[in-house]
């Protein structure tokens, strides 16, 4: 089982400077490598405090210089917000400076707030995403390519900065719908999924959706790698657990508000946190998620893995204004105890099945 950290780089209030949020995120990425994580993922968002990473590829390029082995991923590059021709060169550059460690996560986006400020119609995002992915695949796979589509017409073009990984870096599709899942399986891409703060039933439903999408394309789910984004936290300190849960619920509230195309801001920037119908109590979140003592987290992860059968678990580390020193200790704890225990149990189970 691979493990990753997922860094959203949130700012819960003006008591956090943008500089401190970004530097904390980099520190978490560096420690993730030292703790033995396989990958660190960087989000992409714009124009509000939900996330302060406008360019995950820039974070990849920077972290390439302060790490040596960990895979560095974009989760995700929102394709409709890019010129795919330029993005191709930036992908190549990021893969070169990282010595072939780039994991290319892509998605269509979902926040009306962001799309409006780029002058892009979010209702067209799925169609734009599909065509831009076509262009990326051409540019990554062909020395010279051209494109004649509905969105763009590109004459014969060469991308001068080519990726180190051949034929291309691994591509991960944020699969929030059957069409996106289906395309990922059809074209041999990997899949990024989340069950948000829901429990085992949601994971079972997610597994069924993956199986249905793969089967429709004549594939098996195991033909692609699946990464599950999950809020996880191990501690015996109730105050730390409640702080983590509070920040996780804060992030979900902002995401829900932006998804529903509402702008909740009094000053034009800082989004106001308000309860939503998606809110769960701390008690329910603890029941649903791998949160609690180290043993509880290990046992719950093994249960969730047995249901969804992912290739990777991506734990959400950088949430709201959660204390940085506490989060760094959490990353170390995963490296010291949780990751080895989970993989030992999985290896034992695999051996018993042979």
């Amino acid at each position: 089982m691979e493990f990753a950290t997922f860094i959203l780089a949130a700012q819960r209030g003006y008591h956090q400077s943008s500089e401190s949020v970004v530097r904390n995120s980099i520190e978490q990425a560096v420690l993730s490598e030292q703790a033995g994580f396989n990958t660190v993922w960087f989000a992409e968002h714009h124009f509000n405090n939900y996330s302060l990473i406008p360019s995950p590829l820039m974070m990849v390029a920077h972290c390439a210089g302060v790490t040596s082995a960990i895979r560095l991923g974009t989760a995700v590059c929102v394709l409709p917000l890019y010129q795919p021709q330029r993005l191709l060169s930036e992908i190549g550059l990021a893969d070169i400076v990282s010595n072939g460690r780039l994991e290319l996560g892509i998605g269509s986006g979902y926040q009306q707030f962001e799309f409006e400020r780029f002058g892009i119609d979010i209702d067209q995002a799925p169609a734009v995403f599909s065509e831009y992915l076509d262009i990326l695949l051409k540019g990554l796979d062909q020395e010279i390519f051209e494109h004649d589509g509905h969105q763009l017409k590109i004459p014969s073009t060469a991308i001068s900065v080519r990726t180190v990984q051949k034929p291309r870096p691994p591509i991960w599709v944020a699969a929030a719908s059957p069409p996106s899942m289906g395309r990922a399986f059809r074209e041999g891409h990997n899949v990024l999924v989340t069950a948000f703060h829901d429990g085992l039933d949601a994971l079972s439903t997610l597994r069924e959706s993956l199986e249905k999408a793969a089967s429709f394309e004549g594939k098996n789910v195991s033909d692609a790698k699946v990464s599950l984004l999950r809020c996880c936290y191990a501690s015996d300190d109730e105050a730390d657990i409640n702080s983590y849960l509070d920040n996780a619920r804060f992030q979900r509230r902002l995401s829900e508000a932006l998804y529903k195309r509402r702008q909740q801001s009094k000053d034009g920037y800082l989004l106001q946190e308000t309860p939503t119908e998606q809110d769960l109590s701390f008690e329910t979140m603890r029941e649903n998620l791998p949160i609690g003592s180290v043993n509880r987290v290990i046992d719950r992860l093994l249960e969730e893995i047995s249901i969804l059968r992912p290739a990777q678990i991506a734990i959400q580390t950088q949430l709201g204004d959660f204390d940085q020193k506490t989060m760094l200790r959490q990353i170390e704890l995963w490296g010291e105890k949780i990751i080895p225990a989970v993989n030992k149990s999985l290896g034992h189970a695999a051996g018993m099945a042979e």
Side-chain angles (χ1 to χ4, degrees):
M1 176 62 56
E2 294 181 5
F3 284 87
T5 47
F6 177 86
I7 297 178
L8 190 62
Q11 179 188 32
R12 193 163 187 178
Y14 290 119
H15 60 287
Q16 300 165 276
S17 68
S18 57
E19 178 184 6
S20 68
V21 170
V22 172
R23 293 197 182 281
N24 284 350
S25 298
I26 294 168
E27 189 176 15
Q28 290 180 20
V30 171
L31 187 60
S32 295
E33 175 175 78
Q34 296 170 2
F37 284 83
N38 303 93
T39 304
V40 56
W41 295 102
F42 301 106
E44 175 186 337
H45 290 284
H46 304 272
F47 311 127
N48 59 67
N49 60 306
Y50 178 70
S51 169
L52 302 192
I53 300 178
S55 173
L57 283 171
M58 287 186 71
M59 287 291 282
V60 166
H62 174 79
C63 289
V66 292
T67 60
S68 61
I70 195 167
R71 305 287 296 179
L72 303 167
T74 62
V76 294
C77 289
V78 183
L79 290 194
L81 306 184
Y82 287 85
Q83 289 180 314
Q85 312 94 308
R86 181 184 183 98
L87 182 59
L88 278 163
S89 294
E90 294 177 351
I91 290 168
L93 185 61
D95 199 44
I96 289 171
V97 299
S98 66
N99 294 318
R101 289 188 280 143
L102 175 65
E103 300 281 324
L104 181 62
I106 55 174
S108 60
Y110 69 94
Q111 293 187 359
Q112 172 79 3
F113 183 91
E114 297 177 332
F115 275 65
E116 284 177 346
R117 283 150 183 79
F118 280 106
I120 298 173
D121 182 359
I122 197 170
D123 292 329
Q124 298 300 313
V128 175
F129 169 83
S130 180
E131 185 170 327
Y132 283 11
L133 178 51
D134 290 341
I135 295 170
L136 288 189
L137 294 175
K138 290 179 181 179
L140 289 168
D141 294 345
Q142 303 172 23
E143 295 292 335
I144 307 291
F145 77 97
E146 57 186 40
H147 181 78
D148 184 7
H150 179 73
Q151 306 292 335
L152 289 174
K153 299 184 186 303
I154 304 172
S156 184
T157 300
I159 301 301
S160 55
V161 186
R162 311 293 301 181
T163 60
V164 173
Q165 298 178 83
K166 303 300 180 188
R168 64 173 90 108
I171 293 176
W172 297 75
V173 177
S177 65
S180 57
M181 285 185 185
R183 179 162 188 181
F185 286 113
R186 182 168 64 251
E187 297 182 350
H189 308 314
N190 298 323
V191 182
L192 295 163
V193 297
T194 181
F196 300 106
H197 300 157
D198 297 326
L200 299 181
D201 288 345
L203 290 173
S204 295
T205 300
L206 186 53
R207 177 68 191 189
E208 291 170 4
S209 297
L210 288 166
E211 290 177 346
K212 185 175 181 180
S215 177
F216 186 81
E217 300 296 338
K219 305 286 186 178
N220 296 314
V221 178
S222 58
D223 292 336
K225 292 173 70 174
V226 174
S227 178
L228 172 66
L229 172 61
R230 205 69 169 138
C231 283
C232 310
Y233 190 78
S235 178
D236 294 319
D237 188 311
E238 289 298 312
D240 283 349
I241 290 174
N242 287 337
S243 178
Y244 183 86
L245 291 170
D246 180 57
N247 278 288
R249 190 164 67 181
F250 157 77
Q251 294 291 168
R252 183 62 188 152
R253 284 172 173 173
L254 262 59
S255 177
E256 178 70 15
L258 290 163
Y259 178 76
K260 289 195 169 184
R261 306 182 182 188
R262 295 196 307 267
Q263 178 182 350
Q264 297 176 310
S265 176
K266 293 180 180 179
D267 63 3
Y269 168 68
L270 198 68
L271 296 168
Q272 301 301 303
E273 177 189 0
T274 58
T276 78
E277 61 270 24
Q278 300 296 323
D279 275 357
L280 300 175
S281 67
F282 287 178
E283 181 181 2
T284 299
M285 292 172 71
R286 288 185 67 161
E287 181 180 343
N288 286 351
L289 298 166
I291 290 176
S293 68
V294 168
N295 287 338
R296 149 73 181 173
V297 169
I298 292 168
D299 291 343
R300 182 53 179 239
L301 280 172
L302 290 170
E303 190 174 11
E304 294 191 354
I305 290 167
S306 71
I307 293 171
L308 186 64
R309 285 169 272 169
Q312 182 185 93
I313 300 291
I315 68 169
Q316 193 147 355
T317 59
Q318 212 284 352
L319 284 170
D321 60 358
F322 192 81
D323 180 68
Q324 174 72 353
K325 290 183 179 179
T326 306
M327 182 49 68
L328 294 177
R329 288 198 299 270
Q330 179 72 188
I331 293 171
E332 290 176 333
L333 178 64
W334 278 72
E336 292 169 2
K337 295 186 177 181
I338 298 174
I339 293 175
V342 169
N343 281 326
K344 182 178 179 180
S345 294
L346 292 175
H348 178 71
M352 293 289 288
E354 291 176 357

